[in-house]
Amino acid sequence: MEAPITFVDDRLLRKVPSWRTYLAAKLGFRNHWYPIKLSREIGESQIVKATLCGENILLKRIDGKVYALRDRCIHRGVPFSEKLECYTKGTITCWYHGFTYKWETGELCDILASPDSKAIGRQSVKSYPVQEAKGAVFVFMGDDDVKPHPLCEDVPPMFLDEDLALEGDSYMVQSNWRVGCENGFDGLHVYIHRTSPLVNDTQRSLPVGHTANSGQIVLHEVDGQPKGVYDEFAHHVSLWEGQVEGDVVVRGVRNTRTDGVPTRTTAASLWLPGVLRVDDFPDAGRHQFEWYVPVSEDEHYYLIMIGKRVTNPQEALDHEQEFWNRWKPVSLDGFNNQDIEARLALQKFYSSDKAWLQEMLIEGDHPIIKWRELCHRHNRGVQRPDHL
Amino acid sequence: MEAPITFVDDRLLRKVPSWRTYLAAKLGFRNHWYPIKLSREIGESQIVKATLCGENILLKRIDGKVYALRDRCIHRGVPFSEKLECYTKGTITCWYHGFTYKWETGELCDILASPDSKAIGRQSVKSYPVQEAKGAVFVFMGDDDVKPHPLCEDVPPMFLDEDLALEGDSYMVQSNWRVGCENGFDGLHVYIHRTSPLVNDTQRSLPVGHTANSGQIVLHEVDGQPKGVYDEFAHHVSLWEGQVEGDVVVRGVRNTRTDGVPTRTTAASLWLPGVLRVDDFPDAGRHQFEWYVPVSEDEHYYLIMIGKRVTNPQEALDHEQEFWNRWKPVSLDGFNNQDIEARLALQKFYSSDKAWLQEMLIEGDHPIIKWRELCHRHNRGVQRPDHL
Amino acid sequence: MEAPITFVDDRLLRKVPSWRTYLAAKLGFRNHWYPIKLSREIGESQIVKATLCGENILLKRIDGKVYALRDRCIHRGVPFSEKLECYTKGTITCWYHGFTYKWETGELCDILASPDSKAIGRQSVKSYPVQEAKGAVFVFMGDDDVKPHPLCEDVPPMFLDEDLALEGDSYMVQSNWRVGCENGFDGLHVYIHRTSPLVNDTQRSLPVGHTANSGQIVLHEVDGQPKGVYDEFAHHVSLWEGQVEGDVVVRGVRNTRTDGVPTRTTAASLWLPGVLRVDDFPDAGRHQFEWYVPVSEDEHYYLIMIGKRVTNPQEALDHEQEFWNRWKPVSLDGFNNQDIEARLALQKFYSSDKAWLQEMLIEGDHPIIKWRELCHRHNRGVQRPDHL
Ligand code: FES
Ligand code: FES
Ligand code: FES
């Protein structure tokens, strides 16, 4: 095969033995669940395109359930989506020679231009397991011989809790997915958020940074459970002033409340295959989930969901309205957009594979290295050129 | 040399021993005649640019005869066409230092800025043999030490027949030339043409497909004659209905005539170096010729000519008018445009060299494999990076 | 490392042993001084971006002196210029996590988000030596362990003379820097300038070319002095007519003066690291200096300066006015623009590394080969992928 074994040069990979497969995973990990769309984006009978780990996928909702097929005819490789042809509810027909596949299994069930071909019933197009949860459509980017793991192993703890109401929105961001993960989890980048309208809106505290070595983290590596790195902000020694040559040039914002309600984020954790949970953010009692889903080498699908524990439908409705009226403009478009800008700038550097060896991380970046190593230990496979 | 031996990775080539050089011939074959322009596009004294197998070429008609030179000065490589300078009818002068070449031979006959250089009379720019026939200008893309073969070995039988009147038009198509060949010759792709206005216009029959194994073909491999694969449609068992899960979802069109005149195409044949002949198409008594001429890795020159046997000038004139009034709108722009769309979709897949090993051909694609193997046996050389 | 040792394939380099490093120096030479901006383009306190040999650089003038830092944070590689943050006159702060560097040395003096990091005071961003002379800002593109050589070794003789008044302007040209050098020094390319308005304006002589072998050159290779090749035009046997097949088709312009003042250029010389001096050009008593400064593989910074010996401030002022009123429109924009066009055409050929072995130089190109060999012997290092 012309294609190299991985997308990244082996001479570079050998230099980072403790996180080798993370460096190799330019297009993400295999055999994991990734959210690919919000449920509301796929109506009944609708066919929707998406790209995951470099593979073009078509999604269709049939009788409420979403199915996913690779958007590439097995015959001569053309995309079905070039000219959609669907003659029955449960099948899709390639417009070129009429190869027809079942949405449910991908099985080649008919060939309109050659109905007695021996390929019928024996071949199939790649079909992806799909699961919906909490308003998002998850796809298992798996090897054919791998039985999908339970979804609960690939999402942060709490996400699937029954009493957690979730609302979200998504963005396409032109950076690699790993750049997204590391920007989100980075404890020092609070520095860029001091100008966010969210600070005033929530009367929150926002330090300028924190002291070196304060980013101690806890690893979650229990079998059958989500794998993640957990950074509790209680350990942080926050800094409220930024100095240059002894003079204060930048000040953080420090709010206190008498009722004991936290005025700032209490923890951040990052989970395989690339999803962040931020506790008490964007406000006390809310939990933000951020997925950085691999699309291509230089693009990721950035899905943000905000969760709140509710006890009745009215509280869920209130949360939904708060999301659209407050968090969408003030937090997603007024805080996370700053992260998007940072990722675009990072991408200029990290798009070169050797940059990963040229960076100069400091004490506060310790959690990021732990994240890379955790990924290396627990990923279930690396997306490779021969998968495309 | 930095340049690899071929454009395609040797590890891929080794996997298809029976059509290795066809896979390698991304930019076409050498030592063959290719049409490069229609005669009417090169008026007397006019200089016209074209690209063939990746080589930029300048054409000029002098006293009725067309000459072709590589559009790249031998001195320091600039294109003559950047700033055309011609001081005599028979020469072209490079605008940079005045290297002057004869159109007839390519010989360096003068250097305006250095008239006593020893290079004069000893060097020359690549000059290509040119031959006109049937309204097209053919160029021999040859090695310097190869005497051009007779044109009649590189065109389909019948094309040069004296009583065949021909009219044509051309398109630039953004796909590899091999994708063009295979789309044109493909017996199953009749499926996409069921919506063409040509069907009604000619009251022709158009099946949905045909049964497996019905694409039996005859190989033409006689020394000194054109090399081609010939697919007679009389062998085909046509299908008039397309079914999905037992229900008819698509119907072909079946016309019959009492006078024995065929209401459908009777045969298709594909000839080296990449030209299709379709008999009784677009209507009984007409023969369509389609060239897929390599321009670059992802572009070919698509020349369509329609021929009809005539016995006098009036019949030739009638044929010309029919071409422009009927076949150009109804067939070229109403039938072959569907093929162009298909090729653009195919190119998304086949632009990756390894795709040629990922396709999954079926029984009816048998003629395409025979075509690839015939090319492998009879081509006279592969265009390589060091030719550019 | 994934990055190859040089930008150019070693199999090509081995074929030109006498000018190997010149072929390798696609992005220029290291440990040389290059002009990067005109002094007038960097006002006090202004921060200006530039790219040299592929490295992005920020320049700032502080209390009159210009400093230069690499525009890439050492922490996670983002460009400072993405969002400039400067809290004190002498420092620049990265907008992402507040790494703060001294303009003078590049030293990391503070980290706003992590003020107790051990990296502070120990690390630094690449800082480039800067020197201003004759209205241009020179940057030493050097290795960290190389002490900058005196500027006078990297500029043509006479350039730094106290009585030489200089004015200049600059262009970004989309060709490799070596293509710029060779186009400028090329003795035969006078051919393209016959249509320049400068000829009439200065009543100068302009031959069509010269006889073969007349381009004898003198090499300057004394230790501690500029290294260059010197082509005195007195050796040239000029040609005043260009012929094709025995007929005169182009005429040069021949002016003579009775006062002995030369009516044409008297010499051209090309100096490391890529700067041309043309004597008695654009008119008697003027000296034109042209730098071809590597920016990227396919771009160079083209700085033209015209010098004249002056004895008092009024003469210097007259020279300045002459530059803007006469030489800028008539010579820079009416003569050197023809060279820019030629370089764009050359780049189409020479952008392929193997083209350097496909060219067919003639007798009059002898000085160009001497230039390449001189570069090979005297450059102080080649810019390599691992410098980027
Ligand atoms: S390419 Fe899809 S049916 Fe042939
Ligand atoms: S490049 Fe054509 S004459 Fe020099
Ligand atoms: S990237 Fe510049 S401070 Fe972190």
Side-chain angles (χ1 to χ4, degrees), chain C residues 281-341:
Chain C
F281 184 89
D283 207 355
R286 279 77 176 174
H287 300 271
Q288 182 153 318
F289 298 86
E290 301 188 14
W291 269 271
Y292 317 98
V293 182
V295 172
S296 69
E297 289 191 13
D298 49 15
E299 188 171 45
H300 67 276
Y301 172 69
Y302 181 30
L303 173 63
I304 302 176
M305 300 190 86
I306 294 177
K308 185 162 184 264
R309 296 202 186 274
V310 296
T311 56
N312 57 53
Q314 183 58 44
E315 284 183 19
L317 203 63
D318 290 349
H319 176 61
E320 184 184 337
Q321 291 187 347
E322 189 184 62
F323 178 83
W324 289 106
N325 296 334
R326 189 175 180 196
W327 305 134
K328 169 72 175 162
V330 172
S331 191
L332 279 67
D333 296 341
F335 185 97
N336 295 118
N337 65 320
Q338 297 179 319
D339 289 315
I340 290 178
E341 281 172 26

Coordinates of all heavy atoms in Angstrom, one line a residue, chain C residues 281-341:
Chain C
F281 N 24.3 53.2 -13.2 CA 23.0 52.9 -13.4 C 22.1 53.4 -12.3 O 22.5 53.3 -11.1 CB 22.8 51.4 -13.6 CG 21.4 51.0 -13.9 CD1 21.0 50.8 -15.3 CD2 20.4 50.7 -13.0 CE1 19.7 50.5 -15.6 CE2 19.1 50.4 -13.3 CZ 18.8 50.3 -14.6
P282 N 20.9 54.0 -12.6 CA 20.2 54.1 -13.9 C 20.8 55.2 -14.7 O 20.3 55.4 -15.8 CB 18.8 54.5 -13.4 CG 18.9 55.1 -12.1 CD 20.1 54.4 -11.4
D283 N 21.9 55.9 -14.2 CA 22.5 57.0 -15.0 C 23.9 57.1 -14.6 O 24.3 56.6 -13.5 CB 21.7 58.3 -14.9 CG 21.9 59.2 -16.1 OD1 22.6 58.8 -17.0 OD2 21.2 60.3 -16.1
A284 N 24.7 57.7 -15.4 CA 26.1 58.0 -15.0 C 26.2 58.6 -13.6 O 25.4 59.4 -13.2 CB 26.8 58.9 -16.0
G285 N 27.1 58.1 -12.8 CA 27.3 58.6 -11.4 C 26.4 58.0 -10.4 O 26.4 58.4 -9.2
R286 N 25.5 57.1 -10.8 CA 24.6 56.5 -9.8 C 25.0 55.0 -9.7 O 25.5 54.4 -10.7 CB 23.1 56.6 -10.3 CG 22.4 57.9 -9.9 CD 22.8 58.9 -10.9 NE 22.2 60.2 -10.7 CZ 22.5 61.3 -11.4 NH1 23.5 61.2 -12.3 NH2 21.8 62.4 -11.3
H287 N 24.7 54.5 -8.6 CA 24.9 53.0 -8.3 C 23.7 52.4 -7.7 O 23.2 52.9 -6.7 CB 26.1 52.9 -7.4 CG 27.4 53.5 -7.9 ND1 28.3 52.8 -8.7 CD2 27.8 54.8 -7.8 CE1 29.3 53.7 -9.0 NE2 29.0 54.9 -8.5
Q288 N 23.2 51.4 -8.4 CA 22.0 50.8 -7.9 C 22.3 49.5 -7.2 O 23.2 48.7 -7.6 CB 21.1 50.4 -9.1 CG 19.8 49.8 -8.7 CD 18.6 50.1 -9.6 OE1 18.4 51.2 -10.1 NE2 17.8 49.1 -9.8
F289 N 21.7 49.4 -6.0 CA 21.9 48.2 -5.2 C 20.5 47.5 -5.2 O 19.5 48.1 -4.9 CB 22.3 48.6 -3.8 CG 23.6 49.3 -3.7 CD1 23.7 50.6 -3.9 CD2 24.8 48.5 -3.5 CE1 25.0 51.3 -3.9 CE2 26.1 49.2 -3.4 CZ 26.1 50.6 -3.6
E290 N 20.6 46.1 -5.4 CA 19.3 45.4 -5.4 C 19.5 44.1 -4.5 O 20.3 43.3 -4.8 CB 19.0 44.9 -6.8 CG 18.8 46.0 -7.8 CD 18.2 45.5 -9.1 OE1 17.7 44.3 -9.2 OE2 18.3 46.2 -10.1
W291 N 18.7 44.0 -3.4 CA 18.7 42.9 -2.6 C 17.5 41.9 -3.0 O 16.4 42.4 -3.2 CB 18.5 43.3 -1.1 CG 19.8 43.5 -0.4 CD1 20.6 42.6 0.2 CD2 20.5 44.8 -0.3 NE1 21.7 43.2 0.8 CE2 21.7 44.5 0.5 CE3 20.2 46.1 -0.7 CZ2 22.5 45.5 0.8 CZ3 21.1 47.1 -0.4 CH2 22.2 46.8 0.4
Y292 N 17.9 40.7 -3.0 CA 16.8 39.6 -3.2 C 16.8 38.8 -1.9 O 17.5 37.8 -1.8 CB 17.2 38.8 -4.4 CG 17.7 39.6 -5.6 CD1 19.1 39.8 -5.8 CD2 16.9 40.3 -6.4 CE1 19.6 40.5 -6.8 CE2 17.3 41.1 -7.5 CZ 18.7 41.2 -7.7 OH 19.2 42.0 -8.7
V293 N 15.9 39.2 -1.0 CA 16.0 38.6 0.3 C 15.0 37.5 0.4 O 13.8 37.6 0.2 CB 15.6 39.7 1.3 CG1 15.7 39.2 2.7 CG2 16.5 40.9 1.2
P294 N 15.5 36.3 0.8 CA 14.6 35.1 0.9 C 13.4 35.4 1.9 O 13.7 35.8 3.1 CB 15.5 34.0 1.5 CG 16.9 34.5 1.3 CD 16.8 36.0 1.3
V295 N 12.2 35.1 1.5 CA 11.1 35.2 2.4 C 10.5 33.8 2.6 O 10.5 33.3 3.7 CB 10.0 36.2 1.8 CG1 8.7 36.1 2.7 CG2 10.5 37.6 1.8
S296 N 10.1 33.2 1.5 CA 9.6 31.8 1.5 C 10.2 31.2 0.3 O 10.9 31.8 -0.5 CB 8.1 31.7 1.5 OG 7.6 32.2 0.3
E297 N 9.8 29.9 0.0 CA 10.3 29.2 -1.2 C 10.0 30.0 -2.4 O 10.7 29.9 -3.4 CB 9.7 27.8 -1.2 CG 10.2 26.9 -0.2 CD 9.8 25.4 -0.5 OE1 9.4 25.2 -1.6 OE2 10.0 24.6 0.4
D298 N 8.9 30.7 -2.4 CA 8.4 31.3 -3.7 C 8.1 32.8 -3.5 O 7.3 33.3 -4.2 CB 7.2 30.6 -4.2 CG 6.1 30.3 -3.2 OD1 6.2 31.0 -2.1 OD2 5.3 29.5 -3.4
E299 N 8.9 33.4 -2.6 CA 8.8 34.9 -2.5 C 10.1 35.4 -2.0 O 10.8 34.9 -1.2 CB 7.7 35.2 -1.5 CG 7.3 36.7 -1.4 CD 6.1 37.0 -0.6 OE1 6.0 36.4 0.5 OE2 5.3 37.8 -1.0
H300 N 10.4 36.6 -2.6 CA 11.5 37.3 -2.0 C 11.2 38.8 -1.9 O 10.2 39.3 -2.5 CB 12.8 37.2 -2.8 CG 12.8 37.8 -4.2 ND1 12.3 37.1 -5.3 CD2 13.3 38.9 -4.7 CE1 12.4 37.9 -6.4 NE2 13.0 39.0 -6.1
Y301 N 11.9 39.4 -1.0 CA 11.7 40.9 -0.7 C 12.8 41.5 -1.6 O 14.0 41.3 -1.5 CB 12.0 41.1 0.8 CG 12.1 42.5 1.3 CD1 11.0 43.4 1.3 CD2 13.3 43.1 1.7 CE1 11.1 44.7 1.8 CE2 13.4 44.4 2.2 CZ 12.3 45.1 2.2 OH 12.4 46.4 2.7
Y302 N 12.3 42.4 -2.5 CA 13.1 43.0 -3.5 C 13.3 44.5 -3.1 O 12.4 45.3 -3.3 CB 12.4 42.9 -4.9 CG 13.1 43.5 -6.1 CD1 14.5 43.5 -6.1 CD2 12.4 44.0 -7.1 CE1 15.2 44.0 -7.3 CE2 13.1 44.4 -8.3 CZ 14.4 44.5 -8.3 OH 15.1 45.0 -9.4
L303 N 14.5 44.7 -2.6 CA 14.8 46.1 -2.1 C 15.8 46.7 -3.1 O 16.9 46.2 -3.4 CB 15.5 46.0 -0.7 CG 16.0 47.3 -0.2 CD1 14.9 48.3 0.1 CD2 16.8 47.1 1.1
I304 N 15.4 47.9 -3.6 CA 16.2 48.6 -4.6 C 16.7 49.9 -3.9 O 15.8 50.7 -3.4 CB 15.4 48.9 -5.9 CG1 14.9 47.6 -6.5 CG2 16.3 49.7 -6.8 CD1 14.1 47.9 -7.8
M305 N 18.0 50.2 -3.9 CA 18.5 51.4 -3.4 C 19.4 52.0 -4.5 O 20.2 51.3 -5.1 CB 19.2 51.2 -2.1 CG 18.3 50.6 -1.0 SD 19.1 50.7 0.7 CE 18.6 52.3 1.2
I306 N 19.3 53.3 -4.6 CA 20.1 54.0 -5.6 C 21.0 55.0 -4.8 O 20.5 55.8 -4.0 CB 19.3 54.8 -6.7 CG1 18.5 53.8 -7.5 CG2 20.2 55.7 -7.5 CD1 17.6 54.4 -8.5
G307 N 22.3 54.9 -5.1 CA 23.3 55.7 -4.3 C 24.0 56.7 -5.2 O 24.2 56.5 -6.4
K308 N 24.4 57.8 -4.6 CA 25.1 58.8 -5.4 C 26.1 59.5 -4.4 O 25.7 59.7 -3.2 CB 24.2 59.9 -5.9 CG 24.8 60.9 -6.8 CD 23.8 61.6 -7.7 CE 24.4 62.6 -8.6 NZ 24.5 64.0 -8.1
R309 N 27.3 59.7 -4.8 CA 28.2 60.4 -3.9 C 27.9 61.8 -3.8 O 27.6 62.5 -4.8 CB 29.7 60.2 -4.5 CG 30.1 58.8 -4.5 CD 31.6 58.6 -4.5 NE 32.0 57.2 -4.7 CZ 32.2 56.4 -3.7 NH1 31.9 56.8 -2.4 NH2 32.5 55.1 -3.9
V310 N 27.8 62.3 -2.6 CA 27.5 63.7 -2.4 C 28.5 64.4 -1.5 O 29.2 63.7 -0.7 CB 26.1 63.8 -1.7 CG1 25.0 63.3 -2.6 CG2 26.0 63.1 -0.3
T311 N 28.5 65.7 -1.5 CA 29.6 66.4 -0.7 C 28.9 67.3 0.3 O 29.6 67.8 1.2 CB 30.5 67.2 -1.6 OG1 29.7 68.1 -2.4 CG2 31.3 66.3 -2.5
N312 N 27.6 67.5 0.2 CA 26.9 68.3 1.2 C 25.4 67.9 1.3 O 24.9 67.2 0.4 CB 27.1 69.8 0.9 CG 26.5 70.1 -0.5 OD1 25.4 69.8 -0.8 ND2 27.3 70.7 -1.4
P313 N 24.7 68.4 2.3 CA 23.3 68.0 2.5 C 22.4 68.4 1.3 O 21.5 67.7 1.1 CB 22.9 68.8 3.8 CG 24.2 69.0 4.5 CD 25.2 69.2 3.5
Q314 N 22.7 69.5 0.7 CA 21.9 69.9 -0.4 C 21.9 68.8 -1.6 O 20.9 68.4 -2.1 CB 22.3 71.2 -1.0 CG 21.4 71.7 -2.1 CD 19.9 71.8 -1.7 OE1 19.6 72.3 -0.6 NE2 19.0 71.3 -2.5
E315 N 23.1 68.3 -1.8 CA 23.3 67.3 -2.8 C 22.5 66.0 -2.5 O 21.9 65.4 -3.3 CB 24.7 67.0 -3.1 CG 25.4 68.1 -3.9 CD 26.9 67.7 -4.2 OE1 27.2 66.5 -4.1 OE2 27.7 68.6 -4.6
A316 N 22.5 65.7 -1.2 CA 21.8 64.5 -0.7 C 20.3 64.7 -0.9 O 19.6 63.8 -1.3 CB 22.1 64.3 0.8
L317 N 19.8 66.0 -0.6 CA 18.4 66.3 -0.8 C 18.0 66.2 -2.3 O 17.0 65.7 -2.7 CB 18.2 67.7 -0.3 CG 16.7 68.0 0.2 CD1 16.3 67.1 1.3 CD2 16.6 69.4 0.6
D318 N 18.9 66.7 -3.1 CA 18.7 66.7 -4.6 C 18.5 65.2 -5.0 O 17.7 64.8 -5.8 CB 19.8 67.3 -5.4 CG 19.8 68.9 -5.2 OD1 18.8 69.4 -4.6 OD2 20.8 69.5 -5.5
H319 N 19.4 64.4 -4.5 CA 19.4 63.0 -4.8 C 18.1 62.3 -4.4 O 17.5 61.6 -5.1 CB 20.6 62.3 -4.2 CG 20.6 60.8 -4.5 ND1 20.6 60.2 -5.7 CD2 20.5 59.7 -3.6 CE1 20.6 58.9 -5.6 NE2 20.5 58.6 -4.4
E320 N 17.6 62.7 -3.2 CA 16.4 62.1 -2.7 C 15.2 62.5 -3.6 O 14.4 61.7 -4.0 CB 16.1 62.6 -1.3 CG 14.9 62.1 -0.7 CD 14.5 62.6 0.7 OE1 15.5 63.1 1.4 OE2 13.4 62.6 1.1
Q321 N 15.2 63.8 -4.0 CA 14.1 64.2 -4.9 C 14.2 63.6 -6.3 O 13.2 63.2 -6.9 CB 14.1 65.8 -5.0 CG 13.8 66.4 -3.7 CD 13.6 67.9 -3.8 OE1 14.0 68.5 -4.8 NE2 13.0 68.5 -2.8
E322 N 15.4 63.4 -6.8 CA 15.6 62.8 -8.1 C 15.1 61.3 -8.0 O 14.4 60.8 -8.9 CB 17.1 62.8 -8.5 CG 17.3 62.3 -9.9 CD 18.8 62.2 -10.3 OE1 19.5 61.4 -9.6 OE2 19.2 62.8 -11.2
F323 N 15.4 60.7 -6.8 CA 14.9 59.3 -6.7 C 13.4 59.2 -6.8 O 12.9 58.4 -7.6 CB 15.3 58.7 -5.3 CG 14.8 57.3 -5.1 CD1 15.5 56.2 -5.6 CD2 13.6 57.1 -4.4 CE1 15.0 54.9 -5.5 CE2 13.1 55.8 -4.3 CZ 13.8 54.7 -4.8
W324 N 12.7 60.0 -6.1 CA 11.2 59.9 -6.1 C 10.6 60.5 -7.4 O 9.6 59.9 -7.8 CB 10.6 60.6 -4.9 CG 11.0 59.8 -3.6 CD1 11.9 60.1 -2.7 CD2 10.5 58.5 -3.3 NE1 12.0 59.1 -1.7 CE2 11.1 58.1 -2.1 CE3 9.5 57.7 -3.8 CZ2 10.8 56.9 -1.4 CZ3 9.2 56.5 -3.2 CH2 9.9 56.1 -2.0
N325 N 11.2 61.5 -7.9 CA 10.5 62.2 -9.1 C 10.9 61.5 -10.4 O 10.2 61.5 -11.4 CB 10.9 63.6 -9.1 CG 10.3 64.4 -8.0 OD1 9.3 64.0 -7.4 ND2 11.0 65.5 -7.6
R326 N 12.1 60.9 -10.4 CA 12.6 60.4 -11.7 C 12.8 58.9 -11.7 O 12.2 58.1 -12.4 CB 13.9 61.1 -12.1 CG 14.4 60.8 -13.5 CD 15.6 61.6 -13.9 NE 16.1 61.2 -15.2 CZ 17.3 61.5 -15.7 NH1 18.1 62.2 -14.9 NH2 17.6 61.2 -16.9
W327 N 13.7 58.4 -10.7 CA 14.0 57.0 -10.8 C 12.9 56.1 -10.4 O 12.8 55.0 -11.0 CB 15.3 56.7 -10.0 CG 16.5 57.6 -10.4 CD1 17.3 58.3 -9.5 CD2 16.9 57.8 -11.7 NE1 18.3 58.9 -10.3 CE2 18.1 58.7 -11.6 CE3 16.5 57.5 -13.0 CZ2 18.8 59.2 -12.7 CZ3 17.2 57.9 -14.1 CH2 18.3 58.8 -13.9
K328 N 12.1 56.5 -9.4 CA 11.0 55.6 -9.0 C 10.1 55.3 -10.2 O 9.9 54.2 -10.5 CB 10.3 56.2 -7.8 CG 9.0 55.6 -7.4 CD 9.1 54.2 -6.8 CE 7.7 53.7 -6.3 NZ 7.6 52.3 -6.1
P329 N 9.6 56.4 -10.9 CA 8.7 56.0 -12.0 C 9.4 55.5 -13.2 O 8.9 54.5 -13.8 CB 8.0 57.4 -12.3 CG 8.9 58.4 -11.8 CD 9.6 57.8 -10.6
V330 N 10.6 56.0 -13.6 CA 11.2 55.7 -14.8 C 12.0 54.4 -14.7 O 12.1 53.6 -15.7 CB 12.1 56.9 -15.4 CG1 12.9 56.4 -16.6 CG2 11.2 58.0 -15.7
S331 N 12.7 54.2 -13.6 CA 13.6 53.1 -13.5 C 13.0 51.9 -12.7 O 12.8 50.8 -13.2 CB 14.9 53.5 -12.9 OG 15.9 52.5 -13.1
L332 N 12.7 52.2 -11.5 CA 12.1 51.1 -10.7 C 10.8 50.6 -11.3 O 10.7 49.4 -11.5 CB 11.8 51.6 -9.2 CG 13.0 51.6 -8.3 CD1 14.0 52.6 -8.6 CD2 12.6 51.7 -6.8
D333 N 9.9 51.5 -11.6 CA 8.6 51.0 -12.1 C 8.6 50.9 -13.7 O 7.6 50.5 -14.2 CB 7.5 52.0 -11.7 CG 7.3 52.0 -10.2 OD1 7.8 51.0 -9.5 OD2 6.7 52.9 -9.6
G334 N 9.7 51.3 -14.3 CA 9.7 51.3 -15.8 C 10.8 50.5 -16.3 O 11.0 50.3 -17.6
F335 N 11.6 49.9 -15.5 CA 12.8 49.1 -16.0 C 12.8 47.8 -15.1 O 12.7 46.7 -15.6 CB 14.1 49.9 -15.8 CG 15.3 49.2 -16.4 CD1 15.7 49.4 -17.7 CD2 16.0 48.3 -15.6 CE1 16.9 48.8 -18.2 CE2 17.1 47.6 -16.1 CZ 17.6 47.9 -17.4
N336 N 12.9 48.0 -13.8 CA 13.0 46.8 -12.9 C 11.7 46.0 -12.9 O 11.7 44.8 -12.5 CB 13.4 47.3 -11.5 CG 14.8 47.8 -11.5 OD1 15.0 49.0 -11.1 ND2 15.8 47.0 -11.9
N337 N 10.6 46.6 -13.2 CA 9.3 45.9 -13.2 C 9.4 44.8 -14.4 O 8.8 43.8 -14.3 CB 8.1 46.8 -13.5 CG 8.2 47.5 -14.8 OD1 9.3 47.9 -15.2 ND2 7.1 47.7 -15.5
Q338 N 10.2 45.1 -15.4 CA 10.4 44.1 -16.4 C 11.1 42.9 -15.9 O 10.9 41.7 -16.3 CB 11.2 44.7 -17.6 CG 10.4 45.8 -18.3 CD 11.2 46.4 -19.5 OE1 12.4 46.6 -19.4 NE2 10.4 46.8 -20.5
D339 N 12.0 43.1 -15.0 CA 12.8 42.0 -14.3 C 11.8 41.2 -13.4 O 11.9 40.0 -13.4 CB 13.9 42.6 -13.5 CG 15.0 43.1 -14.4 OD1 15.4 42.4 -15.3 OD2 15.5 44.2 -14.1
I340 N 10.9 41.9 -12.8 CA 10.0 41.2 -11.9 C 9.1 40.3 -12.7 O 8.9 39.1 -12.4 CB 9.1 42.2 -11.1 CG1 9.9 42.9 -10.1 CG2 7.9 41.6 -10.5 CD1 9.2 44.0 -9.3
E341 N 8.7 40.8 -13.9 CA 7.9 39.9 -14.8 C 8.7 38.7 -15.2 O 8.2 37.6 -15.3 CB 7.4 40.7 -16.0 CG 6.2 41.6 -15.8 CD 6.0 42.5 -17.0 OE1 6.3 42.1 -18.1 OE2 5.4 43.5 -16.8

